[in-house]
Every structure is written in structure tokens, then in C-alpha cells.
């Protein structure tokens, strides 16, 4: 399945501080689109940021909103489901909820404690997810400081992950190469070294990885980095083995 692009509008979002940096991506033959932006972590360190929009005749599901004009224009006010994919990927969730007014907001366990003002919230693992036919999920267990949710888009055989893997091949910012080397993810597909500290229950974590590897995925789309379109399974297995987490 090929990837197509649309021209960006080079907008600046004054609320989020994010800027559109690349064309909107879509998987040809599939109703999945991705919206590109970037996030300045600290002066000199900027990382790419990507959201995922999955649409069907009945639903539209936006995962990890990035807050650009492109994203808002594509979603409009027809959003049924807004998703925060981890305890740290919620920066623009409240604003997206206010603007897009989704029917439901889905979050990982523990996020309602951090964002008590959210309304109509459903929790992965506690409430029944109604979209398994097109978008399955797995909770990355054993790492309670993250509680990341990894998604599998069945029609396009695509994984979407927030922070489980990075693949930043062209770092932006003078200090980004230093920071990415320290994290163990400089110009390559890899897991951040911090996952070794975040994982508190290795057995639970490995069960989650086995669940993810059981999916028939062909590509990986990450919030941070280039899309992996070939050899995706081998790259995931190598990254897990490198960190001793498989």
C-alpha cells in the first residue's frame, strides 16, 4: 500500500506552539491519514510529531492530536472519537476536545487523574472499545508511568505507536543529535534507553509485546520519526532485543 501526500498550509498554531512541517500523509487505498508537525522540547531540541486519523462510514478516530490547521480542517466537527495514546501524549487533548467536540474521549489508565476536567472519558482496558473491526489496540503493560496504547489498523496492516519506538533520521535543532544519542535513538529505529527504567514488570511488558507481534502488520507509523514501510517486524524484534525486553 503506497503513501500519498497533500500540500501543507505552513501554518503556525499560537496555542500549541506547533508548526506544520510536512505534507499530510495518507495510505492509498485505506481510510487512514496522518498529520505532521513538530515539537520543541527544549531550546535546540525539536522532534517530529504525528497524529493518526482513521475514518469509516460511521466513525472518525483521531489519535494523539498535534494541533495544526491541517488536522482541524480535515477533522472538522465530525469527530466521533478522540484518543490520548499514553500518559505523556495529551498536550493538545483538551484543546482538541473543545474545538472538535468528539462524541467520546479515550485515554489510558491514570490519565483522568492528570486531566480531571475532561468530559465523556472512557478508559482503555476498563471500557469496551467499539472499533476492533478496523482498529485494534494493546496496552503496554508493566510500564505504569507510560501506560502507552499501541494501535493496529487492520485494513492497512499498520501499527501506530506514540513513544514505544523512535525513527528520527534527520534531527532538527543544534542539540538534537546530542539528545537523541543520549536516548539511544539517533538516526535509527530504536527504543529509548529509558524504557529499561520505565518497565517495572518485565513479564507483563513481554506479554504485551507478544500480543503486538501477533498482529499481521507490514508497516509502523510513529509519533516521532519516519514511517517504516518494509521489514517492520524484524525492526521491532531487533529494537526489543537490543533493550533486553523480549
Amino acid at each position: 500500500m503506497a503513501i500519498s501526500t497533500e500540500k501543507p498550509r505552513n501554518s503556525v498554531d499560537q496555542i500549541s506552539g506547533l508548526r506544520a512541517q510536512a505534507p499530510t500523509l495518507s495510505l492509498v487505498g485505506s481510510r487512514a491519514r496522518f498529520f505532521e508537525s513538530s515539537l520543541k522540547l527544549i531550546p535546540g531540541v525539536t522532534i517530529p510529531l504525528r497524529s493518526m486519523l482513521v475514518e469509516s462510514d460511521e466513525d472518525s478516530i483521531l489519535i494523539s492530536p498535534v494541533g495544526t490547521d491541517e488536522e482541524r480542517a480535515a477533522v472538522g466537527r465530525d469527530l466521533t472519537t478522540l484518543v490520548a495514546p499514553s500518559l505523556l501524549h495529551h498536550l493538545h487533548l483538551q484543546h482538541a476536545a473543545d474545538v472538535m467536540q468528539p462524541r467520546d474521549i479515550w485515554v489510558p489508565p491514570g490519565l483522568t487523574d492528570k486531566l480531571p476536567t475532561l468530559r465523556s472519558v472512557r478508559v482503555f482496558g476498563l471500557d469496551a472499545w467499539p472499533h476492533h473491526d478496523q482498529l485494534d489496540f494493546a496496552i503496554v503493560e508493566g510500564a505504569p508511568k507510560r501506560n502507552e496504547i499501541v494501535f493496529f489498523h487492520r485494513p492497512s496492516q499498520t501499527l501506530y505507536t506514540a513513544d514505544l519506538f523512535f525513527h528520527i533520521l534527520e534531527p532538527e535543532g543544534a542539540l538534537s543529535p546530542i539528545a537523541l544519542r543520549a536516548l539511544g535513538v539517533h538516526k535509527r529505529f530504536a527504543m529509548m534507553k529509558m524504557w529499561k527504567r520505565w518497565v517495572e514488570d518485565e513479564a507483563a511488558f513481554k506479554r504485551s509485546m507478544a500480543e503486538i507481534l501477533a498482529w499481521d502488520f507490514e508497516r509502523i507509523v510513529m509519533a516521532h520519526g519516519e514511517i517504516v514501510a518494509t521489514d517492520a517486524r524484524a525492526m521491532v524484534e531487533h529494537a526489543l532485543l537490543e533493550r533486553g525486553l523480549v
Side-chain angles (χ1 to χ4, degrees), residues 86-103:
S86 81
L87 292 180
L88 294 185
H89 264 248
H90 59 79
L91 181 61
H92 308 288
L93 191 71
Q94 183 67 69
H95 182 63
D98 294 340
V99 172
M100 300 174 185
Q101 299 182 7
R103 182 183 64 202

Side-chain angles (χ1 to χ4, degrees), residues 153-223:
H153 184 237
R154 294 186 181 280
S156 65
Q157 295 178 287
T158 298
L159 288 186
Y160 177 89
T161 171
D163 295 322
L164 189 59
F165 304 107
F166 273 48
H167 192 216
I168 301 174
L169 302 182
E170 298 181 6
E172 180 182 352
L175 300 180
S176 288
I178 298 172
L180 295 177
R181 285 191 182 94
L183 294 172
V185 294
H186 183 246
K187 289 191 174 184
R188 65 196 189 99
F189 181 89
M191 300 178 71
M192 289 188 289
K193 293 178 181 178
M194 290 183 292
W195 275 102
K196 285 292 291 182
R197 185 172 71 251
W198 290 332
V199 174
E200 299 176 9
D201 183 339
E202 285 198 15
F205 182 86
K206 290 177 179 178
R207 286 195 299 270
S208 298
M209 295 305 102
E211 181 179 355
I212 291 169
L213 288 168
W215 287 330
D216 184 24
F217 62 91
E218 293 184 352
R219 66 184 54 76
I220 307 172
V221 175
M222 287 142 293

Side-chain angles (χ1 to χ4, degrees), residues 47-232:
I47 61 174
L49 190 63
R50 178 183 293 117
S51 64
M52 179 179 187
L53 176 67
V54 174
E55 298 171 296
S56 69
D57 292 339
E58 297 80 23
D59 297 294
S60 59
I61 306 164
L62 179 63
I63 304 172
S64 195
V66 298
T68 61
D69 290 345
E70 290 80 9
E71 183 183 71
R72 283 193 294 272
V75 173
R77 288 186 175 270
D78 297 324
L79 188 66
T80 61
T81 306
L82 181 64
V83 175
S86 81
L87 292 180
L88 294 185
H89 264 248
H90 59 79
L91 181 61
H92 308 288
L93 191 71
Q94 183 67 69
H95 182 63
D98 294 340
V99 172
M100 300 174 185
Q101 299 182 7
R103 182 183 64 202
D104 298 312
I105 300 173
W106 282 80
V107 301
L111 189 59
T112 53
D113 295 332
K114 298 180 68 173
L115 299 176
T117 60
L118 287 175
R119 296 291 182 264
S120 301
V121 174
R122 298 189 180 186
V123 179
F124 287 101
L126 296 179
D127 297 300
W129 174 250
H131 308 293
H132 282 290
D133 58 333
Q134 61 173 330
L135 192 64
D136 210 346
F137 77 90
I139 301 175
V140 177
E141 298 183 349
K145 293 180 181 179
R146 307 294 303 189
N147 278 352
E148 178 162 342
I149 313 296
V150 176
F151 295 90
F152 175 50
H153 184 237
R154 294 186 181 280
S156 65
Q157 295 178 287
T158 298
L159 288 186
Y160 177 89
T161 171
D163 295 322
L164 189 59
F165 304 107
F166 273 48
H167 192 216
I168 301 174
L169 302 182
E170 298 181 6
E172 180 182 352
L175 300 180
S176 288
I178 298 172
L180 295 177
R181 285 191 182 94
L183 294 172
V185 294
H186 183 246
K187 289 191 174 184
R188 65 196 189 99
F189 181 89
M191 300 178 71
M192 289 188 289
K193 293 178 181 178
M194 290 183 292
W195 275 102
K196 285 292 291 182
R197 185 172 71 251
W198 290 332
V199 174
E200 299 176 9
D201 183 339
E202 285 198 15
F205 182 86
K206 290 177 179 178
R207 286 195 299 270
S208 298
M209 295 305 102
E211 181 179 355
I212 291 169
L213 288 168
W215 287 330
D216 184 24
F217 62 91
E218 293 184 352
R219 66 184 54 76
I220 307 172
V221 175
M222 287 142 293
H224 310 298
E226 301 294 329
I227 291 173
V228 174
T230 59
D231 298 324

